Amino acid sequence: MKVPEISRLYHISKEHIRKIIRRFNEEGMASLKPNFGGGRPRTFTEEQRADIVELAQIPPKVLGLPFTSWSLAKIKEVAEQKKLVKSISVETIRVILEEANITYPHTKTWKESNDPDFAAKKNESSNSITNHQKKGG
């Protein structure tokens, strides 16, 4: 096929087709291998990534923080406060830690009471729930 025919058939510019043909003539079959650039370059240096991994492995209490375990959001906050990075997303932290074989579960929160009768009251409320049976069936 001629270059104009290929161009019309595959909706590719004639210049691009000529470039491919020229490259094939110079390099042979190797020119047909895809030449991917590997995606977007990493935003953070290896040193920054290592600092985040190291931070995640230090117990928060050792750093004088008022909590006992890390969440991804807390790692983000502390990494930015300590200027390990200017800004970073929770998802990027998850990826960095995953590459280092460190995983964190989603944070679960619950409320506690300082009421001394809390446990008894909590059990009372669960006893007041009534199971309703379906009618018919």
Side-chain angles (χ1 to χ4, degrees), residues 7-23:
S7 175
R8 277 192 305 277
L9 182 64
Y10 291 101
H11 304 286
I12 299 173
S13 72
K14 294 174 194 169
E15 293 80 22
H16 185 66
I17 293 167
R18 286 187 183 100
K19 181 180 169 185
I20 292 171
I21 292 171
R22 209 172 303 115
R23 187 169 169 215

PDB file of all heavy atoms in Angstrom, residues 7-23:
ATOM      1  N   SER A   7      -2.626   6.071   5.331  1.00  0.00           N
ATOM      2  CA  SER A   7      -3.075   7.224   6.112  1.00  0.00           C
ATOM      3  C   SER A   7      -4.593   7.283   6.195  1.00  0.00           C
ATOM      4  O   SER A   7      -5.162   7.493   7.268  1.00  0.00           O
ATOM      5  CB  SER A   7      -2.530   8.510   5.485  1.00  0.00           C
ATOM      6  OG  SER A   7      -3.040   9.633   6.146  1.00  0.00           O
ATOM      7  N   ARG A   8      -5.252   7.104   5.065  1.00  0.00           N
ATOM      8  CA  ARG A   8      -6.725   7.134   5.042  1.00  0.00           C
ATOM      9  C   ARG A   8      -7.313   5.940   5.799  1.00  0.00           C
ATOM     10  O   ARG A   8      -8.259   6.076   6.567  1.00  0.00           O
ATOM     11  CB  ARG A   8      -7.233   7.133   3.598  1.00  0.00           C
ATOM     12  CG  ARG A   8      -7.259   8.496   2.954  1.00  0.00           C
ATOM     13  CD  ARG A   8      -8.039   8.489   1.632  1.00  0.00           C
ATOM     14  NE  ARG A   8      -7.560   7.502   0.669  1.00  0.00           N
ATOM     15  CZ  ARG A   8      -6.528   7.695  -0.159  1.00  0.00           C
ATOM     16  NH1 ARG A   8      -5.874   8.828  -0.146  1.00  0.00           N
ATOM     17  NH2 ARG A   8      -6.164   6.752  -1.000  1.00  0.00           N
ATOM     18  N   LEU A   9      -6.742   4.762   5.605  1.00  0.00           N
ATOM     19  CA  LEU A   9      -7.269   3.546   6.206  1.00  0.00           C
ATOM     20  C   LEU A   9      -7.167   3.568   7.729  1.00  0.00           C
ATOM     21  O   LEU A   9      -8.104   3.184   8.429  1.00  0.00           O
ATOM     22  CB  LEU A   9      -6.523   2.322   5.641  1.00  0.00           C
ATOM     23  CG  LEU A   9      -6.995   0.959   6.139  1.00  0.00           C
ATOM     24  CD1 LEU A   9      -8.431   0.694   5.700  1.00  0.00           C
ATOM     25  CD2 LEU A   9      -6.072  -0.129   5.604  1.00  0.00           C
ATOM     26  N   TYR A  10      -6.024   4.032   8.272  1.00  0.00           N
ATOM     27  CA  TYR A  10      -5.799   3.979   9.719  1.00  0.00           C
ATOM     28  C   TYR A  10      -5.942   5.335  10.408  1.00  0.00           C
ATOM     29  O   TYR A  10      -5.717   5.437  11.608  1.00  0.00           O
ATOM     30  CB  TYR A  10      -4.414   3.377  10.019  1.00  0.00           C
ATOM     31  CG  TYR A  10      -4.363   1.914   9.661  1.00  0.00           C
ATOM     32  CD1 TYR A  10      -3.757   1.492   8.477  1.00  0.00           C
ATOM     33  CD2 TYR A  10      -4.937   0.960  10.482  1.00  0.00           C
ATOM     34  CE1 TYR A  10      -3.725   0.158   8.137  1.00  0.00           C
ATOM     35  CE2 TYR A  10      -4.903  -0.376  10.154  1.00  0.00           C
ATOM     36  CZ  TYR A  10      -4.295  -0.777   8.981  1.00  0.00           C
ATOM     37  OH  TYR A  10      -4.270  -2.105   8.643  1.00  0.00           O
ATOM     38  N   HIS A  11      -6.296   6.359   9.653  1.00  0.00           N
ATOM     39  CA  HIS A  11      -6.483   7.712  10.206  1.00  0.00           C
ATOM     40  C   HIS A  11      -5.235   8.186  10.949  1.00  0.00           C
ATOM     41  O   HIS A  11      -5.292   8.666  12.079  1.00  0.00           O
ATOM     42  CB  HIS A  11      -7.707   7.769  11.133  1.00  0.00           C
ATOM     43  CG  HIS A  11      -8.960   7.317  10.477  1.00  0.00           C
ATOM     44  ND1 HIS A  11      -9.621   8.083   9.541  1.00  0.00           N
ATOM     45  CD2 HIS A  11      -9.668   6.165  10.581  1.00  0.00           C
ATOM     46  CE1 HIS A  11     -10.698   7.434   9.108  1.00  0.00           C
ATOM     47  NE2 HIS A  11     -10.738   6.258   9.727  1.00  0.00           N
ATOM     48  N   ILE A  12      -4.080   7.983  10.309  1.00  0.00           N
ATOM     49  CA  ILE A  12      -2.798   8.403  10.851  1.00  0.00           C
ATOM     50  C   ILE A  12      -2.171   9.355   9.835  1.00  0.00           C
ATOM     51  O   ILE A  12      -2.300   9.159   8.627  1.00  0.00           O
ATOM     52  CB  ILE A  12      -1.864   7.186  11.079  1.00  0.00           C
ATOM     53  CG1 ILE A  12      -2.491   6.208  12.086  1.00  0.00           C
ATOM     54  CG2 ILE A  12      -0.500   7.628  11.571  1.00  0.00           C
ATOM     55  CD1 ILE A  12      -1.735   4.911  12.248  1.00  0.00           C
ATOM     56  N   SER A  13      -1.466  10.353  10.321  1.00  0.00           N
ATOM     57  CA  SER A  13      -0.865  11.329   9.399  1.00  0.00           C
ATOM     58  C   SER A  13       0.183  10.659   8.509  1.00  0.00           C
ATOM     59  O   SER A  13       0.852   9.701   8.910  1.00  0.00           O
ATOM     60  CB  SER A  13      -0.229  12.476  10.177  1.00  0.00           C
ATOM     61  OG  SER A  13       0.955  12.048  10.811  1.00  0.00           O
ATOM     62  N   LYS A  14       0.337  11.203   7.320  1.00  0.00           N
ATOM     63  CA  LYS A  14       1.315  10.673   6.361  1.00  0.00           C
ATOM     64  C   LYS A  14       2.728  10.803   6.930  1.00  0.00           C
ATOM     65  O   LYS A  14       3.564   9.913   6.732  1.00  0.00           O
ATOM     66  CB  LYS A  14       1.199  11.422   5.033  1.00  0.00           C
ATOM     67  CG  LYS A  14      -0.110  11.189   4.324  1.00  0.00           C
ATOM     68  CD  LYS A  14      -0.223  12.080   3.099  1.00  0.00           C
ATOM     69  CE  LYS A  14      -1.660  12.085   2.614  1.00  0.00           C
ATOM     70  NZ  LYS A  14      -1.900  13.103   1.610  1.00  0.00           N
ATOM     71  N   GLU A  15       2.978  11.910   7.637  1.00  0.00           N
ATOM     72  CA  GLU A  15       4.305  12.129   8.215  1.00  0.00           C
ATOM     73  C   GLU A  15       4.653  11.035   9.220  1.00  0.00           C
ATOM     74  O   GLU A  15       5.776  10.526   9.242  1.00  0.00           O
ATOM     75  CB  GLU A  15       4.376  13.509   8.903  1.00  0.00           C
ATOM     76  CG  GLU A  15       4.276  14.689   7.960  1.00  0.00           C
ATOM     77  CD  GLU A  15       2.833  14.998   7.531  1.00  0.00           C
ATOM     78  OE1 GLU A  15       1.875  14.598   8.236  1.00  0.00           O
ATOM     79  OE2 GLU A  15       2.664  15.627   6.479  1.00  0.00           O
ATOM     80  N   HIS A  16       3.678  10.670  10.039  1.00  0.00           N
ATOM     81  CA  HIS A  16       3.916   9.633  11.044  1.00  0.00           C
ATOM     82  C   HIS A  16       4.173   8.283  10.375  1.00  0.00           C
ATOM     83  O   HIS A  16       5.073   7.531  10.785  1.00  0.00           O
ATOM     84  CB  HIS A  16       2.730   9.546  12.014  1.00  0.00           C
ATOM     85  CG  HIS A  16       2.954   8.594  13.144  1.00  0.00           C
ATOM     86  ND1 HIS A  16       3.903   8.803  14.115  1.00  0.00           N
ATOM     87  CD2 HIS A  16       2.376   7.394  13.446  1.00  0.00           C
ATOM     88  CE1 HIS A  16       3.881   7.801  14.973  1.00  0.00           C
ATOM     89  NE2 HIS A  16       2.966   6.929  14.584  1.00  0.00           N
ATOM     90  N   ILE A  17       3.426   7.983   9.355  1.00  0.00           N
ATOM     91  CA  ILE A  17       3.613   6.712   8.631  1.00  0.00           C
ATOM     92  C   ILE A  17       4.997   6.664   8.009  1.00  0.00           C
ATOM     93  O   ILE A  17       5.710   5.659   8.109  1.00  0.00           O
ATOM     94  CB  ILE A  17       2.516   6.517   7.570  1.00  0.00           C
ATOM     95  CG1 ILE A  17       1.166   6.330   8.278  1.00  0.00           C
ATOM     96  CG2 ILE A  17       2.825   5.335   6.658  1.00  0.00           C
ATOM     97  CD1 ILE A  17      -0.033   6.430   7.390  1.00  0.00           C
ATOM     98  N   ARG A  18       5.420   7.769   7.391  1.00  0.00           N
ATOM     99  CA  ARG A  18       6.760   7.819   6.793  1.00  0.00           C
ATOM    100  C   ARG A  18       7.843   7.633   7.856  1.00  0.00           C
ATOM    101  O   ARG A  18       8.856   6.961   7.633  1.00  0.00           O
ATOM    102  CB  ARG A  18       6.946   9.147   6.057  1.00  0.00           C
ATOM    103  CG  ARG A  18       6.173   9.203   4.756  1.00  0.00           C
ATOM    104  CD  ARG A  18       6.502  10.449   3.943  1.00  0.00           C
ATOM    105  NE  ARG A  18       5.681  10.474   2.749  1.00  0.00           N
ATOM    106  CZ  ARG A  18       4.573  11.195   2.606  1.00  0.00           C
ATOM    107  NH1 ARG A  18       4.169  11.987   3.597  1.00  0.00           N
ATOM    108  NH2 ARG A  18       3.876  11.141   1.504  1.00  0.00           N
ATOM    109  N   LYS A  19       7.630   8.229   9.039  1.00  0.00           N
ATOM    110  CA  LYS A  19       8.577   8.085  10.147  1.00  0.00           C
ATOM    111  C   LYS A  19       8.687   6.616  10.561  1.00  0.00           C
ATOM    112  O   LYS A  19       9.790   6.098  10.783  1.00  0.00           O
ATOM    113  CB  LYS A  19       8.111   8.939  11.323  1.00  0.00           C
ATOM    114  CG  LYS A  19       8.991   8.900  12.529  1.00  0.00           C
ATOM    115  CD  LYS A  19       8.417   9.787  13.625  1.00  0.00           C
ATOM    116  CE  LYS A  19       9.119   9.564  14.928  1.00  0.00           C
ATOM    117  NZ  LYS A  19       8.503  10.325  16.025  1.00  0.00           N
ATOM    118  N   ILE A  20       7.559   5.914  10.647  1.00  0.00           N
ATOM    119  CA  ILE A  20       7.554   4.495  11.024  1.00  0.00           C
ATOM    120  C   ILE A  20       8.280   3.660   9.970  1.00  0.00           C
ATOM    121  O   ILE A  20       9.089   2.784  10.292  1.00  0.00           O
ATOM    122  CB  ILE A  20       6.108   3.988  11.225  1.00  0.00           C
ATOM    123  CG1 ILE A  20       5.492   4.658  12.455  1.00  0.00           C
ATOM    124  CG2 ILE A  20       6.066   2.474  11.368  1.00  0.00           C
ATOM    125  CD1 ILE A  20       4.006   4.401  12.619  1.00  0.00           C
ATOM    126  N   ILE A  21       8.020   3.946   8.704  1.00  0.00           N
ATOM    127  CA  ILE A  21       8.674   3.195   7.618  1.00  0.00           C
ATOM    128  C   ILE A  21      10.181   3.436   7.646  1.00  0.00           C
ATOM    129  O   ILE A  21      10.974   2.492   7.537  1.00  0.00           O
ATOM    130  CB  ILE A  21       8.062   3.588   6.248  1.00  0.00           C
ATOM    131  CG1 ILE A  21       6.615   3.083   6.166  1.00  0.00           C
ATOM    132  CG2 ILE A  21       8.903   3.022   5.097  1.00  0.00           C
ATOM    133  CD1 ILE A  21       5.844   3.600   4.960  1.00  0.00           C
ATOM    134  N   ARG A  22      10.594   4.697   7.817  1.00  0.00           N
ATOM    135  CA  ARG A  22      12.019   5.031   7.877  1.00  0.00           C
ATOM    136  C   ARG A  22      12.691   4.301   9.041  1.00  0.00           C
ATOM    137  O   ARG A  22      13.762   3.719   8.887  1.00  0.00           O
ATOM    138  CB  ARG A  22      12.164   6.547   8.036  1.00  0.00           C
ATOM    139  CG  ARG A  22      13.425   7.106   7.444  1.00  0.00           C
ATOM    140  CD  ARG A  22      13.481   8.639   7.437  1.00  0.00           C
ATOM    141  NE  ARG A  22      12.368   9.250   6.729  1.00  0.00           N
ATOM    142  CZ  ARG A  22      11.428  10.018   7.306  1.00  0.00           C
ATOM    143  NH1 ARG A  22      11.480  10.293   8.592  1.00  0.00           N
ATOM    144  NH2 ARG A  22      10.457  10.536   6.590  1.00  0.00           N
ATOM    145  N   ARG A  23      12.036   4.315  10.196  1.00  0.00           N
ATOM    146  CA  ARG A  23      12.597   3.646  11.374  1.00  0.00           C
ATOM    147  C   ARG A  23      12.699   2.135  11.138  1.00  0.00           C
ATOM    148  O   ARG A  23      13.690   1.502  11.518  1.00  0.00           O
ATOM    149  CB  ARG A  23      11.722   3.945  12.593  1.00  0.00           C
ATOM    150  CG  ARG A  23      12.304   3.437  13.871  1.00  0.00           C
ATOM    151  CD  ARG A  23      11.566   3.975  15.067  1.00  0.00           C
ATOM    152  NE  ARG A  23      12.000   3.244  16.247  1.00  0.00           N
ATOM    153  CZ  ARG A  23      11.233   2.930  17.263  1.00  0.00           C
ATOM    154  NH1 ARG A  23       9.985   3.325  17.301  1.00  0.00           N
ATOM    155  NH2 ARG A  23      11.701   2.247  18.280  1.00  0.00           N
TER     156      ARG A  23
END
